[in-house]
Amino acid sequence: MRSVIDIKDLSTQEIEQIITVAEDIIKNPDKYAHKCSGKKLATLFFEPSTRTRLSFEAAMYELGGNVLSMSDAGSSSASKGESVADTAKVISCYADIIAMRHPKEGAPLVAATNASVPVINAGDGGHNHPTQTLADLLTIHREKGHFDNLTVGLCGDLKFGRTVHSLINALSRYKGINFVLISPEELKIPSYVKNEIKKCGLEYVQTKDLLEYMPKLDILYMTRVQKERFFNEEDYLRLKDSYILTPEKLATAKSDLCIMHPLPRVNEISVAVDKDPRACYFKQVLNGKFMRMALMLKLLGLED
Ligand code: CP
């Protein structure tokens, strides 16, 4: 029984196999329409979500399975004090696989340790979001055709942005990746993530200046300033509009730049950019569903 709590739980070969299956699902959806017949996914979301929860649920329905959904911690027995460990044991009696989002870092790991079915981390605090990374990787694969030798700008809240932490880990496995880490001083990337880049022998620069590096970028990954992780509103209000991508700011960008954002967007990308053919953030949403389908097939042993 396998769980995926961190993108590190998947080898590079496994990630590439998941991409291959997702591509096959895109080409041959009928082949997969009954693969999960009789299986149940439980989505346990202790924090708000639109994309991740609904894409997991759409993914299971498109595989012919069923869904048990808990979208609000307040309506669950967690509000009476039930532990994550007990919740995981209980849900294992009802479902074949669990997707869990939780505001506390490590909560999905506790669930996986106690569950008797696979658990997928659907985002834990400011820590990790491995299935968003799978969505991001399929997007890069489809747009660029490769992962090597890309200059990847990550811009915004690099401190609390869990999607950035998981994506850096995944891309650090490939050769010739250059990271440009663009953030205000207060929202710089945590040291443990920088150490992962260094361990892989890759280059990175840290800067506050998006425009200086714009012409060099192959990928620009914008992120929202994570309001829910701030201790005081004043700091959030000061930092929230640090970077707003507009068509004018893209004037010096490469013609094949891939503009990404895990969404939800607040103000980091002007809606005028949506018309730009380089905007890939709504493609990421769709790609997430296919990668979650492929991941669930793998964890349920139904890949073939
Ligand atoms: N990208 C992402 O995790 O979106 P949601 O918070 O809507 O699930």
Side-chain angles (χ1 to χ4, degrees):
M1 206 254 308
R2 269 300 279 287
S3 287
V4 171
I5 303 304
D6 192 308
I7 197 70
K8 291 178 199 159
D9 293 333
L10 294 167
S11 69
T12 307
Q13 190 189 12
E14 285 178 314
I15 289 174
E16 289 174 2
Q17 280 164 353
I18 291 168
I19 290 174
T20 302
V21 173
E23 291 282 10
D24 197 46
I25 293 170
I26 292 167
K27 283 195 205 92
N28 306 296
D30 292 349
K31 193 172 131 188
Y32 294 88
H34 304 288
K35 284 266 186 194
C36 282
S37 178
K39 299 290 181 194
K40 279 175 277 180
L41 161 73
T43 50
L44 306 183
F45 277 60
F46 295 87
E47 224 186 28
S49 167
T50 296
R51 272 147 296 276
T52 311
R53 185 173 66 83
L54 295 180
S55 71
F56 262 113
E57 296 182 0
M60 184 47 99
Y61 284 125
E62 289 187 27
L63 291 167
N66 285 299
V67 172
L68 308 170
S69 187
M70 195 211 82
S71 60
D72 174 18
S75 67
S76 78
S77 287
S79 64
K80 301 177 207 162
E82 186 165 54
S83 68
V84 167
D86 283 0
T87 301
K89 286 178 189 159
V90 169
I91 302 302
S92 299
C93 301
Y94 307 142
D96 301 286
I97 188 163
I98 296 170
M100 176 185 273
R101 171 170 290 187
H102 204 286
K104 285 199 182 138
E105 284 89 352
L109 177 61
V110 172
T113 310
N114 287 278
S116 51
V117 299
V119 174
I120 303 171
N121 179 4
D124 61 330
H127 188 216
N128 264 310
H129 195 345
T131 63
Q132 179 64 48
T133 298
L134 294 178
D136 300 341
L137 291 174
L138 180 59
T139 306
I140 295 170
H141 176 77
R142 301 204 102 204
E143 297 301 314
K144 296 284 174 196
H146 61 93
F147 296 116
D148 294 334
N149 302 313
L150 294 171
T151 298
V152 181
L154 300 132
C155 179
D157 184 350
L158 307 188
K159 179 178 179 184
F160 297 119
R162 58 193 173 198
T163 64
V164 166
H165 306 160
S166 296
L167 182 59
I168 286 178
N169 182 277
L171 288 176
S172 293
R173 304 165 190 214
Y174 292 92
K175 69 174 188 316
I177 295 274
N178 285 301
F179 291 108
V180 182
L181 307 173
I182 308 149
S183 72
E185 187 64 31
E186 295 93 327
L187 299 178
K188 278 170 132 175
I189 201 109
S191 297
Y192 83 89
V193 183
K194 277 191 294 188
N195 290 340
E196 283 175 4
I197 301 175
K198 280 189 222 154
K199 256 195 288 179
C200 296
L202 293 169
E203 302 286 328
Y204 68 84
V205 290
Q206 283 188 287
T207 179
K208 290 181 196 148
D209 192 345
L210 170 60
L211 293 187
E212 182 188 348
Y213 285 90
M214 186 70 88
K216 296 188 168 70
L217 302 180
D218 299 302
I219 309 275
L220 172 57
Y221 194 97
M222 298 296 294
T223 62
R224 172 179 70 92
V225 175
Q226 305 272 303
K227 182 181 184 184
E228 62 275 33
R229 316 267 175 241
F230 276 74
F231 290 111
N232 81 65
E233 177 142 18
E234 204 178 297
D235 285 347
Y236 169 70
L237 293 174
R238 186 167 49 81
L239 293 166
K240 73 183 176 67
D241 292 331
S242 299
Y243 301 97
I244 301 174
L245 189 66
T246 59
E248 294 72 37
K249 288 181 185 162
L250 286 163
T252 60
K254 288 186 181 175
S255 59
D256 63 347
L257 174 70
C258 175
I259 306 166
M260 300 176 71
H261 191 309
L263 305 181
R265 151 177 68 181
V266 182
N267 207 21
E268 314 76 52
I269 303 181
S270 138
V271 291
V273 176
D274 296 1
K275 292 195 285 283
D276 190 309
R278 296 169 291 185
C280 294
Y281 28 94
F282 291 110
K283 292 181 189 171
Q284 275 169 271
V285 175
L286 188 57
N287 289 337
K289 182 186 70 175
F290 297 124
M291 289 299 268
R292 290 178 177 114
M293 289 170 82
L295 178 65
M296 286 194 287
L297 288 173
K298 178 177 181 59
L299 297 181
L300 289 168
L302 300 169
E303 227 172 359
D304 295 327

